[in-house]
Amino acid sequence: MATAAAPEESAPSKCFPTVTHVILDLDGTLINTEQLVDEVVTSVLDKRGEFTAGQLHKAIEQVRGMRPKDGTKAILQILQLDTEIHSVDDVLAETGELLNQRWGEVNMMPGAKRLLDYLHEHGIKTALATSTPSDFLEKKMESHDGWIKKINVVATGDEVENGKPAPDIFTLAMERLGVSDAKKCIVLEDTSLGVQAAKASGAFAIAIPSIQNDQKTYETSGADSIIKSLYDFQPERWGLPGFEDYLDVQVKDTAGETQEPETHQILPLHPAINLGGPVVKGFGRGSKTLGVPTANLEIGPIKLESDKLAPGIYFGWAGLRDGEGVTDGKNSNTPISSTYPMVMSIGWNPFFENSQKTCEPWLLHDFGDNGDFYGRELRLSVLGYIRPEANFVSLESLIERIHKDASVAKAALDLSQFRDKRKDTYLLFGET
Ligand code: ADP
Ligand code: MG
């Protein structure tokens, strides 16, 4: 459960203004293209020079948010590649071709569908302001079910003179929205260059880092608010209607200081996310450091599903398949499966230098002497979101929070709509 993390909301949470229009960046904000782009750009550059993975990563980071051509030009400069031999157009064409074959792999960012539905249902006027050129955009969005049509106006990278961090794209988006006062617009952006561009246009900007990133870069870009994922966007703070899909759960104060139950809000996930695999060794810090054992799943095989979850704390049910020799006592040859309430964290593990998430569920059950799951099959049905990852001043406060998360998870799972999911055939390995 313990993952290093940025503060929950490091925004200067002063007085939030009232906005009427929402401008959305595309890559890394609504769709999860950043990892694919990194992979493809890395492969294209790798054969053009002797670079370390670190050098390439750093170069790509510096151009995140730029238009493809600007970004390519800047990268070749950063890497000091001879453009007589490696022309911008060649590199761009090769990257573009490879990407065009693979856009179909790209998922929406966690919370993006919910946000777009919310904006549409409330009739809030929206713009897409993307560095992607228009001829590329269609291909990129082919596998995306036409939701882009629900966005009122679109401004693409090829329509403006200067790309992000210049404000042009946002200024154009505002023009198309018919907004003359930039202070009526809030921009959602995942890159610091995008945040700079939004601020330069006069709009407000919320940064939602798509890849684990240094919080500082967003602060220096002038972000008005920094949130961990789209789940944490609170439109009511900006004078817009609030989301209505949260559910309240009542939890008794675990520290026993007050008798009054506390109310916590949880966010049901639609659809629930199923993840599973054999339990692997983690870093031993769960039970040792925190007194909270977490049965880690290897992230590689569950990448597709786990990418649908923003870093944070979740609740759901866990199905655990009994190991050989562990049986129901009736038929000694048949392994049985049982389900348990669970609370889990999913997030960036500092050990993996921001490239991989870890998935760490704590099964809320005392297994006593049978508490060794290594190698056993674990299945998780993740039903709802509790909170973003957070920083804690001390180990004690982290532990206290994890126990509170566990209470919230149990209370949530007691709600009828989640209670019934306990006997899901997925969790029972199809044995119902
Ligand atoms: P690791 O770092 O290897 O994940 P932890 O200290 O987090 O080690 O302990 C996790 C292990 O503890 C699990 O893999 C499992 O074998 C065992 N375990 C015992 N009880 C539980 C529980 N209630 N929830 C999760 N894991 C448990
Ligand atoms: Mg663990």
PDB file of all heavy atoms in Angstrom, residues 279-288 292-296 360-365 367 371-374, ligand 1:
ATOM      1  N   VAL A 279       0.609 -14.281  -7.145  1.00  0.00           N
ATOM      2  CA  VAL A 279       1.181 -13.335  -6.176  1.00  0.00           C
ATOM      3  C   VAL A 279       2.703 -13.435  -6.235  1.00  0.00           C
ATOM      4  O   VAL A 279       3.270 -14.525  -6.209  1.00  0.00           O
ATOM      5  CB  VAL A 279       0.675 -13.653  -4.751  1.00  0.00           C
ATOM      6  CG1 VAL A 279       1.364 -12.770  -3.719  1.00  0.00           C
ATOM      7  CG2 VAL A 279      -0.841 -13.483  -4.690  1.00  0.00           C
ATOM      8  N   VAL A 280       3.335 -12.267  -6.357  1.00  0.00           N
ATOM      9  CA  VAL A 280       4.803 -12.251  -6.456  1.00  0.00           C
ATOM     10  C   VAL A 280       5.403 -11.543  -5.243  1.00  0.00           C
ATOM     11  O   VAL A 280       4.697 -10.832  -4.509  1.00  0.00           O
ATOM     12  CB  VAL A 280       5.281 -11.552  -7.754  1.00  0.00           C
ATOM     13  CG1 VAL A 280       4.841 -12.339  -8.978  1.00  0.00           C
ATOM     14  CG2 VAL A 280       4.767 -10.108  -7.832  1.00  0.00           C
ATOM     15  N   LYS A 281       6.690 -11.718  -5.057  1.00  0.00           N
ATOM     16  CA  LYS A 281       7.397 -11.022  -3.975  1.00  0.00           C
ATOM     17  C   LYS A 281       7.410  -9.531  -4.265  1.00  0.00           C
ATOM     18  O   LYS A 281       7.670  -9.115  -5.387  1.00  0.00           O
ATOM     19  CB  LYS A 281       8.857 -11.497  -3.921  1.00  0.00           C
ATOM     20  CG  LYS A 281       9.029 -12.852  -3.274  1.00  0.00           C
ATOM     21  CD  LYS A 281       9.450 -12.712  -1.824  1.00  0.00           C
ATOM     22  CE  LYS A 281       9.507 -14.090  -1.174  1.00  0.00           C
ATOM     23  NZ  LYS A 281       9.234 -14.060   0.259  1.00  0.00           N
ATOM     24  N   GLY A 282       7.131  -8.760  -3.252  1.00  0.00           N
ATOM     25  CA  GLY A 282       7.230  -7.314  -3.420  1.00  0.00           C
ATOM     26  C   GLY A 282       8.554  -6.858  -2.835  1.00  0.00           C
ATOM     27  O   GLY A 282       9.586  -7.478  -3.075  1.00  0.00           O
ATOM     28  N   PHE A 283       8.487  -5.829  -2.035  1.00  0.00           N
ATOM     29  CA  PHE A 283       9.720  -5.290  -1.471  1.00  0.00           C
ATOM     30  C   PHE A 283       9.818  -5.540   0.022  1.00  0.00           C
ATOM     31  O   PHE A 283      10.638  -4.972   0.719  1.00  0.00           O
ATOM     32  CB  PHE A 283       9.819  -3.797  -1.777  1.00  0.00           C
ATOM     33  CG  PHE A 283       9.652  -3.535  -3.238  1.00  0.00           C
ATOM     34  CD1 PHE A 283       8.426  -3.137  -3.743  1.00  0.00           C
ATOM     35  CD2 PHE A 283      10.701  -3.760  -4.112  1.00  0.00           C
ATOM     36  CE1 PHE A 283       8.256  -2.936  -5.098  1.00  0.00           C
ATOM     37  CE2 PHE A 283      10.536  -3.566  -5.467  1.00  0.00           C
ATOM     38  CZ  PHE A 283       9.308  -3.155  -5.966  1.00  0.00           C
ATOM     39  N   GLY A 284       8.889  -6.344   0.513  1.00  0.00           N
ATOM     40  CA  GLY A 284       8.929  -6.714   1.917  1.00  0.00           C
ATOM     41  C   GLY A 284       8.570  -5.578   2.856  1.00  0.00           C
ATOM     42  O   GLY A 284       8.595  -5.719   4.060  1.00  0.00           O
ATOM     43  N   ARG A 285       8.202  -4.444   2.287  1.00  0.00           N
ATOM     44  CA  ARG A 285       7.969  -3.317   3.201  1.00  0.00           C
ATOM     45  C   ARG A 285       6.547  -3.325   3.744  1.00  0.00           C
ATOM     46  O   ARG A 285       6.264  -2.702   4.752  1.00  0.00           O
ATOM     47  CB  ARG A 285       8.263  -1.999   2.508  1.00  0.00           C
ATOM     48  CG  ARG A 285       7.415  -1.830   1.319  1.00  0.00           C
ATOM     49  CD  ARG A 285       7.563  -0.554   0.629  1.00  0.00           C
ATOM     50  NE  ARG A 285       6.588  -0.696  -0.437  1.00  0.00           N
ATOM     51  CZ  ARG A 285       6.680  -0.230  -1.636  1.00  0.00           C
ATOM     52  NH1 ARG A 285       7.702   0.499  -1.945  1.00  0.00           N
ATOM     53  NH2 ARG A 285       5.763  -0.445  -2.537  1.00  0.00           N
ATOM     54  N   GLY A 286       5.639  -4.067   3.069  1.00  0.00           N
ATOM     55  CA  GLY A 286       4.249  -4.108   3.518  1.00  0.00           C
ATOM     56  C   GLY A 286       4.132  -4.536   4.961  1.00  0.00           C
ATOM     57  O   GLY A 286       3.813  -3.721   5.844  1.00  0.00           O
ATOM     58  N   SER A 287       4.442  -5.797   5.229  1.00  0.00           N
ATOM     59  CA  SER A 287       4.278  -6.241   6.609  1.00  0.00           C
ATOM     60  C   SER A 287       5.367  -5.720   7.518  1.00  0.00           C
ATOM     61  O   SER A 287       5.126  -5.400   8.671  1.00  0.00           O
ATOM     62  CB  SER A 287       4.196  -7.757   6.718  1.00  0.00           C
ATOM     63  OG  SER A 287       4.490  -8.384   5.535  1.00  0.00           O
ATOM     64  N   LYS A 288       6.570  -5.620   6.989  1.00  0.00           N
ATOM     65  CA  LYS A 288       7.680  -5.213   7.861  1.00  0.00           C
ATOM     66  C   LYS A 288       7.553  -3.770   8.317  1.00  0.00           C
ATOM     67  O   LYS A 288       7.627  -3.459   9.485  1.00  0.00           O
ATOM     68  CB  LYS A 288       9.014  -5.418   7.140  1.00  0.00           C
ATOM     69  CG  LYS A 288       9.440  -6.875   7.108  1.00  0.00           C
ATOM     70  CD  LYS A 288      10.930  -7.019   6.802  1.00  0.00           C
ATOM     71  CE  LYS A 288      11.237  -8.451   6.435  1.00  0.00           C
ATOM     72  NZ  LYS A 288      11.084  -8.695   4.982  1.00  0.00           N
ATOM     73  N   VAL A 292       1.152  -4.015   7.343  1.00  0.00           N
ATOM     74  CA  VAL A 292       0.068  -4.233   6.388  1.00  0.00           C
ATOM     75  C   VAL A 292       0.617  -5.080   5.240  1.00  0.00           C
ATOM     76  O   VAL A 292       1.364  -4.579   4.410  1.00  0.00           O
ATOM     77  CB  VAL A 292      -0.444  -2.885   5.824  1.00  0.00           C
ATOM     78  CG1 VAL A 292      -1.474  -3.116   4.739  1.00  0.00           C
ATOM     79  CG2 VAL A 292      -1.004  -2.013   6.923  1.00  0.00           C
ATOM     80  N   PRO A 293       0.282  -6.375   5.185  1.00  0.00           N
ATOM     81  CA  PRO A 293       0.820  -7.173   4.080  1.00  0.00           C
ATOM     82  C   PRO A 293       0.071  -6.892   2.783  1.00  0.00           C
ATOM     83  O   PRO A 293      -1.153  -6.758   2.784  1.00  0.00           O
ATOM     84  CB  PRO A 293       0.573  -8.617   4.533  1.00  0.00           C
ATOM     85  CG  PRO A 293      -0.574  -8.533   5.481  1.00  0.00           C
ATOM     86  CD  PRO A 293      -0.574  -7.155   6.085  1.00  0.00           C
ATOM     87  N   THR A 294       0.791  -6.750   1.699  1.00  0.00           N
ATOM     88  CA  THR A 294       0.140  -6.534   0.407  1.00  0.00           C
ATOM     89  C   THR A 294       0.609  -7.605  -0.571  1.00  0.00           C
ATOM     90  O   THR A 294       1.803  -7.785  -0.770  1.00  0.00           O
ATOM     91  CB  THR A 294       0.477  -5.149  -0.175  1.00  0.00           C
ATOM     92  OG1 THR A 294       1.894  -4.995  -0.234  1.00  0.00           O
ATOM     93  CG2 THR A 294      -0.136  -4.047   0.656  1.00  0.00           C
ATOM     94  N   ALA A 295      -0.351  -8.302  -1.145  1.00  0.00           N
ATOM     95  CA  ALA A 295      -0.044  -9.411  -2.052  1.00  0.00           C
ATOM     96  C   ALA A 295       0.177  -8.854  -3.459  1.00  0.00           C
ATOM     97  O   ALA A 295      -0.760  -8.663  -4.221  1.00  0.00           O
ATOM     98  CB  ALA A 295      -1.193 -10.413  -2.036  1.00  0.00           C
ATOM     99  N   ASN A 296       1.421  -8.586  -3.780  1.00  0.00           N
ATOM    100  CA  ASN A 296       1.721  -7.900  -5.043  1.00  0.00           C
ATOM    101  C   ASN A 296       1.439  -8.753  -6.270  1.00  0.00           C
ATOM    102  O   ASN A 296       1.690  -9.946  -6.280  1.00  0.00           O
ATOM    103  CB  ASN A 296       3.197  -7.480  -5.070  1.00  0.00           C
ATOM    104  CG  ASN A 296       3.540  -6.482  -3.994  1.00  0.00           C
ATOM    105  OD1 ASN A 296       3.075  -6.597  -2.863  1.00  0.00           O
ATOM    106  ND2 ASN A 296       4.348  -5.503  -4.338  1.00  0.00           N
ATOM    107  N   GLU A 360      -0.827  -3.288  -5.308  1.00  0.00           N
ATOM    108  CA  GLU A 360      -0.626  -3.917  -4.007  1.00  0.00           C
ATOM    109  C   GLU A 360      -1.916  -4.021  -3.199  1.00  0.00           C
ATOM    110  O   GLU A 360      -2.299  -3.085  -2.509  1.00  0.00           O
ATOM    111  CB  GLU A 360       0.396  -3.104  -3.194  1.00  0.00           C
ATOM    112  CG  GLU A 360       1.698  -2.864  -3.932  1.00  0.00           C
ATOM    113  CD  GLU A 360       2.842  -2.532  -2.987  1.00  0.00           C
ATOM    114  OE1 GLU A 360       2.888  -3.097  -1.881  1.00  0.00           O
ATOM    115  OE2 GLU A 360       3.671  -1.708  -3.359  1.00  0.00           O
ATOM    116  N   PRO A 361      -2.595  -5.153  -3.298  1.00  0.00           N
ATOM    117  CA  PRO A 361      -3.821  -5.326  -2.521  1.00  0.00           C
ATOM    118  C   PRO A 361      -3.572  -5.908  -1.126  1.00  0.00           C
ATOM    119  O   PRO A 361      -2.754  -6.811  -0.964  1.00  0.00           O
ATOM    120  CB  PRO A 361      -4.624  -6.332  -3.363  1.00  0.00           C
ATOM    121  CG  PRO A 361      -3.593  -7.084  -4.132  1.00  0.00           C
ATOM    122  CD  PRO A 361      -2.379  -6.224  -4.271  1.00  0.00           C
ATOM    123  N   TRP A 362      -4.286  -5.352  -0.170  1.00  0.00           N
ATOM    124  CA  TRP A 362      -4.288  -5.882   1.196  1.00  0.00           C
ATOM    125  C   TRP A 362      -5.632  -6.575   1.374  1.00  0.00           C
ATOM    126  O   TRP A 362      -6.682  -5.910   1.270  1.00  0.00           O
ATOM    127  CB  TRP A 362      -4.115  -4.732   2.185  1.00  0.00           C
ATOM    128  CG  TRP A 362      -4.190  -5.127   3.633  1.00  0.00           C
ATOM    129  CD1 TRP A 362      -3.922  -6.353   4.180  1.00  0.00           C
ATOM    130  CD2 TRP A 362      -4.540  -4.269   4.730  1.00  0.00           C
ATOM    131  NE1 TRP A 362      -4.085  -6.324   5.540  1.00  0.00           N
ATOM    132  CE2 TRP A 362      -4.467  -5.056   5.905  1.00  0.00           C
ATOM    133  CE3 TRP A 362      -4.902  -2.926   4.836  1.00  0.00           C
ATOM    134  CZ2 TRP A 362      -4.750  -4.535   7.171  1.00  0.00           C
ATOM    135  CZ3 TRP A 362      -5.186  -2.412   6.099  1.00  0.00           C
ATOM    136  CH2 TRP A 362      -5.109  -3.205   7.243  1.00  0.00           C
ATOM    137  N   LEU A 363      -5.610  -7.869   1.589  1.00  0.00           N
ATOM    138  CA  LEU A 363      -6.847  -8.616   1.794  1.00  0.00           C
ATOM    139  C   LEU A 363      -7.274  -8.411   3.239  1.00  0.00           C
ATOM    140  O   LEU A 363      -6.487  -8.671   4.165  1.00  0.00           O
ATOM    141  CB  LEU A 363      -6.646 -10.107   1.478  1.00  0.00           C
ATOM    142  CG  LEU A 363      -6.754 -10.506  -0.006  1.00  0.00           C
ATOM    143  CD1 LEU A 363      -5.925  -9.638  -0.923  1.00  0.00           C
ATOM    144  CD2 LEU A 363      -6.414 -11.979  -0.188  1.00  0.00           C
ATOM    145  N   LEU A 364      -8.495  -7.938   3.437  1.00  0.00           N
ATOM    146  CA  LEU A 364      -8.936  -7.541   4.774  1.00  0.00           C
ATOM    147  C   LEU A 364      -9.498  -8.745   5.522  1.00  0.00           C
ATOM    148  O   LEU A 364     -10.694  -8.882   5.765  1.00  0.00           O
ATOM    149  CB  LEU A 364      -9.953  -6.400   4.671  1.00  0.00           C
ATOM    150  CG  LEU A 364      -9.395  -5.174   3.928  1.00  0.00           C
ATOM    151  CD1 LEU A 364     -10.463  -4.123   3.711  1.00  0.00           C
ATOM    152  CD2 LEU A 364      -8.195  -4.587   4.671  1.00  0.00           C
ATOM    153  N   HIS A 365      -8.588  -9.633   5.848  1.00  0.00           N
ATOM    154  CA  HIS A 365      -8.943 -10.891   6.487  1.00  0.00           C
ATOM    155  C   HIS A 365      -7.684 -11.378   7.195  1.00  0.00           C
ATOM    156  O   HIS A 365      -6.581 -11.201   6.679  1.00  0.00           O
ATOM    157  CB  HIS A 365      -9.368 -11.903   5.408  1.00  0.00           C
ATOM    158  CG  HIS A 365      -9.702 -13.258   5.943  1.00  0.00           C
ATOM    159  ND1 HIS A 365     -10.933 -13.547   6.474  1.00  0.00           N
ATOM    160  CD2 HIS A 365      -8.967 -14.396   6.034  1.00  0.00           C
ATOM    161  CE1 HIS A 365     -10.954 -14.815   6.869  1.00  0.00           C
ATOM    162  NE2 HIS A 365      -9.762 -15.349   6.609  1.00  0.00           N
ATOM    163  N   PHE A 367      -5.422 -14.239   7.974  1.00  0.00           N
ATOM    164  CA  PHE A 367      -5.184 -15.591   7.470  1.00  0.00           C
ATOM    165  C   PHE A 367      -4.402 -16.456   8.447  1.00  0.00           C
ATOM    166  O   PHE A 367      -4.186 -17.639   8.206  1.00  0.00           O
ATOM    167  CB  PHE A 367      -4.441 -15.530   6.123  1.00  0.00           C
ATOM    168  CG  PHE A 367      -5.307 -15.019   5.015  1.00  0.00           C
ATOM    169  CD1 PHE A 367      -5.408 -13.660   4.766  1.00  0.00           C
ATOM    170  CD2 PHE A 367      -6.070 -15.896   4.257  1.00  0.00           C
ATOM    171  CE1 PHE A 367      -6.225 -13.179   3.755  1.00  0.00           C
ATOM    172  CE2 PHE A 367      -6.891 -15.421   3.248  1.00  0.00           C
ATOM    173  CZ  PHE A 367      -6.976 -14.057   3.001  1.00  0.00           C
ATOM    174  N   GLY A 371      -1.268 -17.612   5.866  1.00  0.00           N
ATOM    175  CA  GLY A 371      -1.061 -16.357   5.156  1.00  0.00           C
ATOM    176  C   GLY A 371       0.163 -16.312   4.264  1.00  0.00           C
ATOM    177  O   GLY A 371       0.876 -15.319   4.250  1.00  0.00           O
ATOM    178  N   ASP A 372       0.407 -17.372   3.510  1.00  0.00           N
ATOM    179  CA  ASP A 372       1.476 -17.293   2.516  1.00  0.00           C
ATOM    180  C   ASP A 372       0.876 -17.534   1.137  1.00  0.00           C
ATOM    181  O   ASP A 372       0.501 -18.650   0.802  1.00  0.00           O
ATOM    182  CB  ASP A 372       2.555 -18.343   2.819  1.00  0.00           C
ATOM    183  CG  ASP A 372       3.682 -18.306   1.794  1.00  0.00           C
ATOM    184  OD1 ASP A 372       3.530 -17.576   0.776  1.00  0.00           O
ATOM    185  OD2 ASP A 372       4.693 -18.986   1.985  1.00  0.00           O
ATOM    186  N   PHE A 373       0.765 -16.474   0.348  1.00  0.00           N
ATOM    187  CA  PHE A 373       0.084 -16.601  -0.960  1.00  0.00           C
ATOM    188  C   PHE A 373       1.059 -16.647  -2.126  1.00  0.00           C
ATOM    189  O   PHE A 373       0.628 -16.651  -3.275  1.00  0.00           O
ATOM    190  CB  PHE A 373      -0.854 -15.410  -1.238  1.00  0.00           C
ATOM    191  CG  PHE A 373      -1.710 -14.956  -0.113  1.00  0.00           C
ATOM    192  CD1 PHE A 373      -2.156 -13.633  -0.079  1.00  0.00           C
ATOM    193  CD2 PHE A 373      -2.096 -15.819   0.904  1.00  0.00           C
ATOM    194  CE1 PHE A 373      -2.949 -13.183   0.949  1.00  0.00           C
ATOM    195  CE2 PHE A 373      -2.898 -15.370   1.940  1.00  0.00           C
ATOM    196  CZ  PHE A 373      -3.318 -14.043   1.970  1.00  0.00           C
ATOM    197  N   TYR A 374       2.345 -16.593  -1.846  1.00  0.00           N
ATOM    198  CA  TYR A 374       3.280 -16.475  -2.974  1.00  0.00           C
ATOM    199  C   TYR A 374       3.043 -17.588  -3.989  1.00  0.00           C
ATOM    200  O   TYR A 374       2.950 -18.760  -3.637  1.00  0.00           O
ATOM    201  CB  TYR A 374       4.732 -16.479  -2.486  1.00  0.00           C
ATOM    202  CG  TYR A 374       5.069 -15.241  -1.694  1.00  0.00           C
ATOM    203  CD1 TYR A 374       5.426 -15.333  -0.343  1.00  0.00           C
ATOM    204  CD2 TYR A 374       5.016 -13.981  -2.283  1.00  0.00           C
ATOM    205  CE1 TYR A 374       5.717 -14.202   0.389  1.00  0.00           C
ATOM    206  CE2 TYR A 374       5.300 -12.834  -1.553  1.00  0.00           C
ATOM    207  CZ  TYR A 374       5.648 -12.949  -0.217  1.00  0.00           C
ATOM    208  OH  TYR A 374       5.928 -11.826   0.510  1.00  0.00           O
TER     209      TYR A 374
HETATM  210  P1  ADP B   1       5.895  -8.436  -0.266  1.00  0.00           P
HETATM  211  O1  ADP B   1       6.716  -7.232  -0.195  1.00  0.00           O
HETATM  212  O2  ADP B   1       6.618  -9.633  -0.768  1.00  0.00           O
HETATM  213  O3  ADP B   1       4.606  -8.211  -1.003  1.00  0.00           O
HETATM  214  P2  ADP B   1       4.509  -8.036   2.197  1.00  0.00           P
HETATM  215  O4  ADP B   1       5.240  -7.662   3.430  1.00  0.00           O
HETATM  216  O5  ADP B   1       3.735  -6.980   1.494  1.00  0.00           O
HETATM  217  O6  ADP B   1       5.529  -8.737   1.256  1.00  0.00           O
HETATM  218  O7  ADP B   1       3.554  -9.240   2.545  1.00  0.00           O
HETATM  219  C1  ADP B   1       2.736  -9.739   1.535  1.00  0.00           C
HETATM  220  C2  ADP B   1       2.549 -11.208   1.647  1.00  0.00           C
HETATM  221  O8  ADP B   1       1.955 -11.519   2.894  1.00  0.00           O
HETATM  222  C3  ADP B   1       1.572 -11.694   0.600  1.00  0.00           C
HETATM  223  O9  ADP B   1       2.201 -12.007  -0.620  1.00  0.00           O
HETATM  224  C4  ADP B   1       0.976 -12.910   1.247  1.00  0.00           C
HETATM  225  O10 ADP B   1       1.783 -14.030   0.975  1.00  0.00           O
HETATM  226  C5  ADP B   1       1.048 -12.593   2.738  1.00  0.00           C
HETATM  227  N1  ADP B   1      -0.226 -12.175   3.342  1.00  0.00           N
HETATM  228  C6  ADP B   1      -0.699 -12.654   4.527  1.00  0.00           C
HETATM  229  N2  ADP B   1      -1.858 -12.101   4.842  1.00  0.00           N
HETATM  230  C7  ADP B   1      -2.167 -11.238   3.853  1.00  0.00           C
HETATM  231  C8  ADP B   1      -3.269 -10.340   3.629  1.00  0.00           C
HETATM  232  N3  ADP B   1      -4.274 -10.264   4.499  1.00  0.00           N
HETATM  233  N4  ADP B   1      -3.257  -9.592   2.502  1.00  0.00           N
HETATM  234  C9  ADP B   1      -2.232  -9.662   1.625  1.00  0.00           C
HETATM  235  N5  ADP B   1      -1.181 -10.484   1.791  1.00  0.00           N
HETATM  236  C10 ADP B   1      -1.121 -11.265   2.882  1.00  0.00           C
END
